[in-house]
Amino acid sequence: MAPHLAPASSSRSGPVVRHLILTADDFGLHESVNEAVEQASHAGVLTTASLMISGPAAADAIRRAQRLPQLRVGLHLVLADGQSTLPPGQIPALAGRDGFMDARMVQRGFAIFANPSARRQVAAEIRAQLEAFRRSGLCLDHVNAHKHFHVHPTVLGILLSLAGEFGIRAIRVPQEPAWCARANGKWQAAAAAASLVPLAAAMKYRIRRAGLLHNDRVFGIAMSGAMDERAMLQVLARLPPGVSEIYLHPASQSGSLISASMPAYRHADELAALLSPRVRAAVNAASIKLGGYSDVFQDIAGSAVVCSGR
């Protein structure tokens, strides 16, 4: 288990330190996503990817990640809007007969609270995805969840209980500053962000208590699927001290070509943002420390991350 870690903004004095984790979510969802991740890792500012271990293109994603030693890869836990890892007969409360877990997160969230059988199935599926990630041979940089389902207290509790066994060192907290939503006219998103503040605070407390690392804030919720160059430059211009994560959904194609649940996503524009010379210049000008969660962990804890995966 890791030593107790506070967020970077409160862990050091002296010069202002801005850690930035630039993450591509949905790695393994589609080959054009994987292509974008590889391209942005080589030629852009992308540092990190979150892998859907049971995604349709997961095997291709793992092969690409194995030849990208500079890319930090974490688990993008899927408990909704995606394929299960376990056979559907073992998790009927989560998946249909075809193994697909639909996007009805509210109903599933209540079931996890109220139904002990559903909780056991969720725990089994989370374990199966962590085991599959470990078999990939990749070093586990972090864990987050598709559609942020890990904000569910039970799901988070299961992850924390498995942290020591699977080498989980960092978990994303999806807390976005309200100004980011307001600046883009996303008043509904700003209200939603405000409503998550108490839940995010509880997440941070539980994660720190477990001795793990979390980000101070995230950017990408209000502008999900639209984190283009303009949005990236806007965030970089106001990036505060501490650990910030910007997550994107880059791909060489866009919208429903990637997934039926993403018809309005501008994946190609998000890839262009990661490859933008203006974005790279803004990162350089702000003296930002780029890296993954493992790099932040090493900087704060003062010890190298030992990975049992590779």
Side-chain angles (χ1 to χ4, degrees):
M1 183 65 66
H4 177 83
L5 292 174
S9 58
S10 60
S11 66
R12 53 173 65 236
S13 59
V16 170
V17 179
R18 296 180 176 87
H19 290 276
L20 177 59
I21 301 163
L22 281 164
T23 306
D25 278 0
D26 298 347
F27 193 34
L29 177 62
H30 193 279
E31 282 200 13
S32 65
V33 175
N34 302 346
E35 292 169 1
V37 169
E38 185 168 17
Q39 184 180 0
S41 178
H42 273 308
V45 293
L46 184 71
T47 62
T48 312
S50 297
L51 174 64
M52 287 179 156
I53 195 64
S54 58
D60 175 70
I62 292 167
R63 285 192 295 270
R64 293 175 191 265
Q66 288 170 340
R67 57 181 186 248
L68 295 169
Q70 76 279 10
L71 181 71
R72 309 306 187 210
V73 182
L75 175 65
H76 197 46
L77 183 69
V78 177
L79 297 172
D81 191 29
Q83 200 70 23
S84 67
T85 301
L86 290 174
Q90 295 183 24
I91 49 170
L94 297 180
R97 293 181 179 179
D98 59 355
F100 188 77
M101 298 175 286
D102 62 37
R104 293 182 297 174
M105 295 173 61
V106 174
Q107 296 93 320
R108 188 163 300 126
F110 279 120
I112 294 170
F113 269 127
N115 188 335
S117 177
R119 287 197 295 274
R120 288 192 293 270
Q121 292 175 43
V122 168
E125 177 63 24
I126 291 173
R127 172 176 286 277
Q129 291 188 35
L130 285 164
E131 288 175 342
F133 189 100
R134 184 159 59 186
R135 289 194 298 271
S136 75
L138 299 173
C139 186
L140 182 64
D141 181 76
H142 63 274
V143 175
N144 56 50
H146 192 45
K147 298 185 179 295
H148 310 301
F149 207 169
H150 63 306
V151 300
H152 192 295
T154 302
V155 174
L156 178 61
I158 293 168
L159 285 173
L160 294 176
S161 72
L162 296 172
E165 181 179 354
F166 289 97
I168 300 171
R169 299 180 182 88
I171 297 176
R172 173 195 289 167
V173 175
Q175 182 177 6
E176 185 170 56
W179 69 257
C180 186
R182 289 197 303 267
N184 293 283
K186 306 281 187 178
W187 296 104
Q188 186 175 1
S195 70
L196 283 173
V197 169
L199 189 57
M203 285 185 72
K204 289 180 176 179
Y205 173 78
R206 294 179 70 188
I207 293 168
R208 288 198 300 270
R209 188 177 181 185
L212 308 184
L213 176 70
H214 62 75
N215 53 307
D216 293 311
R217 65 200 66 81
V218 74
F219 298 94
I221 298 175
M223 297 296 290
S224 188
M227 188 61 73
D228 56 17
E229 181 189 69
R230 181 193 64 81
M232 286 276 284
L233 292 172
Q234 183 183 69
V235 170
L236 291 170
R238 297 184 60 173
L239 197 72
V243 182
S244 298
E245 182 178 9
I246 303 176
Y247 73 90
L248 306 92
H249 303 84
S252 55
Q253 304 179 75
S254 289
S256 56
L257 291 171
I258 304 299
S259 172
S261 64
M262 301 176 178
Y265 273 43
R266 294 167 22 223
H267 297 84
D269 288 345
E270 297 200 344
L271 172 58
L274 289 169
L275 298 174
S276 164
R278 294 181 66 198
V279 168
R280 180 179 287 280
V283 170
N284 293 338
S287 300
I288 292 168
K289 288 190 174 184
L290 281 178
Y293 278 94
S294 57
D295 299 293
V296 178
F297 184 100
Q298 182 171 339
D299 192 44
I300 296 173
S303 59
V305 172
V306 178
C307 177
S308 59
R310 283 179 171 165

